[in-house]
Every structure is written in C-alpha cells, then in structure tokens.
Amino acid sequence: MGIGLALVGILLIGANLRASLTAVGPLIGDIRADLSMTSMVASALVGLPLLCFAAFSPVAPRIAVRFGLERTLGAALLILAAGIVTRSVPWLPALWLGTVLLGLAIALANVLLPSLLKRDFPLDAGRYTGAYSAVQSVFAALGAGVAVPLAGLTDSTWRLALGVWAGLALIAFAVFSPRLRGGVSVKALATGPAGPGTDAAPAPQPVENFSPWRSPTAWLITVAMGTQSTLYYVVITWWPEIEQAQGISASAAGIHVSVLQLCGIIGNLTTAAVLQRWQRDQRGLIAVLVPLNVTGLVGMLLLPSWALLWSMLLGMALGSWIVFCLASFSLRTRNHRHAASLSGMAQSFGYLLAALGPFLLGALHDATGSWTGPLVVLLCLQVVQLVSAYGAARPGVL
C-alpha cells in the first residue's frame, strides 16, 4: 500500500463524515409522514447526531490510545455502516439506535482524523485538512441533492435513500483496511518494511500526563470551534427561512443554500493553501474571516435583495472557518496524542453549541416573530469569535 492510497483512504473517511446526515433534511417530511412524528420529535432526530458528537468526542482519544488510531478509525467506519443500515430498518427503535451508532462513528472520525494527519503529515496537516474538508463538503451536498430522487426509485422510499450511504462507509473501510495490520503509519509506508529481526510497529510510548482542559490556548481554540459550529448549523438550518422572511422566493432560497455550500468548498481549499504558508501564525486569516461573517450577516439585515452575494460570502467564510479550527488541533500541539486530546475537547464543546444554537435561535424567532433578533445575536457572537480565534491563531503550541 503506497502513500497515495493512504491519502485516498483518509479522503474517503472525510467523504463519510456528513453525507449520511445531510440526506435526512430533504426527507424529513417523508419520515414524519411515514412514522407519524411530531415536529418536535423530528427536530430531536435531526439534532441527535450533534449531541452524540458532543458526548462521544472526549472519549475518542482514550479509545485511540487503547486500540490505536488506525484500528479505531477502521472500527468507526464499520460502526457507521452498521448504524446507517440499522437506521433504515422498518422498526422505529432501530431508527434511533442507528442514529446513535452513526453519531458515535462520526464523532470518532471527526476527532481522530486531525490526530492522524498530525502524526503522518506534520508539515502538510493544514493542506490535507482542507482536502478532506472539501471532500466532506462535496459529499454533504451530494447527500442532500440525491436524497429525494433516490427515495423515489423504489417502494422503500426514504429508507433506501438513507441506507445507500452504508456502501460508501464500506468502500472507505476497504481502502483504509491495509493500514489496520499493526497500525501501519505513512512513515512506515515511505521507508518500506523493517529489516530482519526488527519490529515494524513503533515502540510503545509512555503515557503523558497531558490535559488540554488546563490550557488557556486550548480554551480559545475550543470557543472558536464552538462559535463557528453554532454559526454553521444555524445558517444551514434557518438561512432559507430567513431569506424567505425577507421576500426571497422559496426556490431562490434553495438555490442560494446550494451556492453557499459550493462556496464552502472554495473556502476549504483556499484556507488549506493559506495554512500551508502560514503554519506558525494565522492571525492574518482571522482578520479576513470575521469581517466576511459580519458582512454576510449585516448584508442580510440591511440589503436582503442581495441575498445571493451574502450567501456566497458566508459560504466561503464557513468553509474557511472549519479548516482553520480543525487544522489548529495539529498546528497548536506537539504530537498526535496532544492533537487528539485537543480535538476531543474542542469538538465536544463545539457540537454541543451546534446542537443548541438552531433550537435557541428558532425559539427566539418564535418569541419575537422576526429574524432580526437571531441575526443580531449571531453578530454579537462575532465578537466572541474574533477574540477567541485571534488568540488561537497566535504562534505557539500547548
């Protein structure tokens, strides 16, 4: 197995991180009708994976220490496939059980991929983070785009459209599986097999007493992750309704969200290239991204007729933010174990906020009858985002 195939395996893991989630949104009406769900229960189903991310992210580094990075990621892909299939079984408890399983699997992969990149590609972690984030965005858009057509192919309707993504998880496992034999690292792939009488596996490393929870920089990264996650999931959830409340047609609002996602891919790749040059200090990047957020939000408040432009700016910003946050786990740590610990901490807090954000701002809209209040709250969050991300982007490691 060569380094190129190892990278393909990493990219395929990235492809699995959102497609099984974004396929649910377009089908939620069918799911509600088929299972006689209330709106509140359907909202809980959509938010459950994010709560699983928050719950399982802190334990992912300990699991990886016990079983190894490769084996844990390989197991995550199998759990993901099992969860997707279980979710599609025509039995109501299976829908919830399968959703929890795929939430566990994606939480493990979310946390451990940055650690794997830190260990195997320490000088290129930013570039490859952007690459797998872009692949993730492409398949997230694909998952949403093909859900309804797939649901119409057979009498299985939405169950087929959700279950088909188990195949992608199994393909990723097949490509990644050669690395499961003894936890073969990319360095081992590059140097070839060990000589006679030597052990190909690296020598066990002493367990370090490292906790990111005591580091101010780790908390800055965590808050930055939380605020960007909140903005992303609020925009993905409510942006079409915000536009429609401003007089944009439903069809145009749907197109704008698709454009927003495509611009996110541009943000992924552009930021990856920037981080390759700015591995030590990323404060210049933050000085660009926060104004992009503010411009998009203020633009929607004051000049909603230009909604397409604001969607494009927010899409590029959101695509950039996720790459910056994920790359920070590698750029701000000394080794891959530290990166995994920081990733678990930041993603747990980040996805907890992401799960609560759409619900709370939706409640604020219901209470006020307007989207002005939620948009103002998001603007106020940009102050928190600026302070935390600027501190997180300063040179240095934990």
Side-chain angles (χ1 to χ4, degrees):
M1 179 184 182
I3 294 176
L5 191 57
L7 285 173
V8 172
I10 290 172
L11 294 178
L12 281 172
I13 294 175
N16 278 277
L17 295 183
R18 292 296 177 271
S20 59
L21 302 179
T22 57
V24 175
L27 299 172
I28 197 65
D30 293 342
I31 296 171
R32 285 183 57 197
D34 188 25
L35 302 177
S36 301
M37 282 184 175
T38 65
S39 296
M40 183 174 295
V41 173
S43 297
L45 180 66
V46 173
L48 181 57
L50 298 180
L51 294 176
C52 291
F53 297 169
F56 295 129
S57 290
V59 304
R62 292 196 289 272
I63 296 173
V65 168
R66 173 67 179 84
F67 297 103
L69 271 174
E70 284 85 359
R71 291 190 180 97
T72 306
L73 285 167
L77 290 169
L78 292 179
I79 294 170
L80 178 60
I84 293 171
V85 171
T86 302
R87 183 179 63 172
S88 302
V89 170
W91 183 47
L92 183 59
L95 176 66
W96 297 95
L97 175 59
T99 300
V100 170
L101 287 175
L102 70 87
L104 165 63
I106 296 174
L108 293 174
N110 274 338
V111 170
L112 297 180
L113 266 185
S115 177
L116 186 68
L117 292 175
K118 173 68 174 180
R119 189 195 69 186
D120 290 350
F121 304 99
L123 300 180
D124 296 300
R127 176 192 299 172
Y128 294 137
T129 298
Y132 88 71
S133 295
V135 172
Q136 174 181 299
S137 298
V138 169
F139 276 85
L142 184 63
V146 304
V148 173
L150 282 176
L153 289 179
T154 71
D155 292 337
S156 298
T157 62
W158 61 268
R159 298 185 190 278
L160 171 67
L162 296 186
V164 70
W165 294 106
L168 182 62
L170 293 176
I171 291 170
F173 178 80
V175 174
F176 191 75
S177 60
R179 299 190 63 181
L180 305 184
R181 296 191 293 270
V184 182
S185 70
V186 167
K187 181 182 290 187
L189 294 173
T191 57
T198 63
D199 186 358
Q205 298 296 318
V207 177
E208 301 176 67
N209 185 23
F210 171 79
S211 173
W213 298 88
R214 297 192 294 264
S215 167
T217 300
W219 275 106
L220 289 171
I221 295 171
T222 297
V223 173
M225 180 74 186
T227 48
Q228 78 83 22
S229 297
T230 300
L231 178 61
Y232 174 80
Y233 281 99
V234 168
V235 167
I236 290 300
T237 303
W238 294 122
W239 200 249
E241 291 205 22
I242 292 172
E243 288 197 358
Q244 290 176 59
Q246 300 280 30
I248 308 298
S249 70
S251 59
I255 293 172
H256 293 174
V257 171
S258 298
V259 171
L260 183 147
Q261 292 177 324
L262 292 174
C263 289
I265 299 170
I266 298 174
N268 295 151
L269 298 176
T270 302
T271 302
V274 169
L275 291 180
Q276 193 64 22
R277 293 178 175 271
W278 294 357
Q279 294 196 36
R280 182 173 176 272
D281 186 342
Q282 300 84 41
R283 286 176 289 182
L285 178 65
I286 304 307
V288 173
L289 295 184
V290 172
L292 276 180
N293 284 350
V294 171
T295 301
L297 294 170
V298 171
M300 182 55 68
L301 275 171
L302 302 182
L303 197 59
S305 60
W306 289 28
L308 177 60
L309 175 61
W310 314 136
S311 297
M312 293 172 67
L313 294 180
L314 275 177
M316 286 187 285
L318 291 169
S320 296
W321 275 116
I322 188 60
V323 174
F324 164 75
C325 289
L326 294 176
S328 295
F329 305 151
S330 298
L331 297 173
R332 299 277 87 86
T333 52
R334 298 181 185 278
N335 57 54
H336 71 279
R337 291 188 178 86
H338 292 187
S341 296
L342 176 58
S343 178
M345 171 184 171
Q347 296 204 51
S348 175
F349 181 79
Y351 285 115
L352 179 60
L353 285 182
L356 295 175
F359 172 77
L360 294 176
L361 292 189
L364 177 60
H365 166 263
D366 290 343
T368 61
S370 169
W371 286 108
T372 299
L375 287 172
V376 170
V377 170
L378 291 176
L379 278 170
C380 292
L381 273 180
Q382 296 314 300
V383 178
V384 179
Q385 183 80 340
L386 175 63
V387 173
S388 60
Y390 196 80
R394 291 178 301 180
V397 294
L398 305 187

